[in-house]
């Protein structure tokens, strides 16, 4: 199942810089592992914002929820999820 996910990040200004950097490093490693295994298919930065749009390919809503909840930045995110379906005018991918 494909999902379009928007993630808006809001790290508190009073979070110590060293702690914020450590969380960001863990976030990067985790997200890149998911990209390598194919579950996090695309990630695009939203220009001018601390936000991204991503496409996930996972088996279920529960799997997606688990992946998102495990993001190190999850406590500092507002996340919106849109399930995607094949469009009848799209050229099918092989």
């Amino acid at each position: 199942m494909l999902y379009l996910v928007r993630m808006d990040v809001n790290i508190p200004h009073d979070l110590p810089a060293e702690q914020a950097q450590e969380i960001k490093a863990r976030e990067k490693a985790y997200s890149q592992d998911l990209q390598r295994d194919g579950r996090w298919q695309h990630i695009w930065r939203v220009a001018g914002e601390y936000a991204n749009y991503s496409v996930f390919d996972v088996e279920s809503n529960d799997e997606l929820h688990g992946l998102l909840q495990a993001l190190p930045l999850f406590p500092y995110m507002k996340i919106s999820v849109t399930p995607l379906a094949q469009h009848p005018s799209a050229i099918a991918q092989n």
Side-chain angles (χ1 to χ4, degrees), residues 8-82:
D8 292 90
V9 182
N10 186 17
I11 297 174
H13 295 291
D14 60 349
L15 189 70
E18 184 175 295
Q19 185 178 355
Q21 288 306 109
E22 186 272 332
I23 293 169
K24 290 177 192 178
R26 286 190 294 119
E27 179 88 7
K28 182 176 183 177
Y30 178 68
S31 71
Q32 289 181 344
D33 285 345
L34 293 174
Q35 289 172 66
R36 284 185 195 96
D37 75 20
R39 291 182 286 175
W40 195 327
Q41 293 196 337
H42 300 279
I43 183 170
W44 293 279
R45 175 174 290 174
V46 178
E49 299 180 34
Y50 195 173
N52 73 76
Y53 279 103
S54 294
V55 175
F56 287 82
D57 187 3
V58 295
E59 293 297 318
S60 67
N61 295 337
D62 291 331
E63 182 181 3
L64 179 63
H65 181 75
L67 294 176
L68 295 176
Q69 194 171 22
L71 289 165
L73 285 171
F74 181 80
Y76 312 110
M77 289 182 174
K78 176 184 173 194
I79 298 175
S80 60
V81 176
T82 304

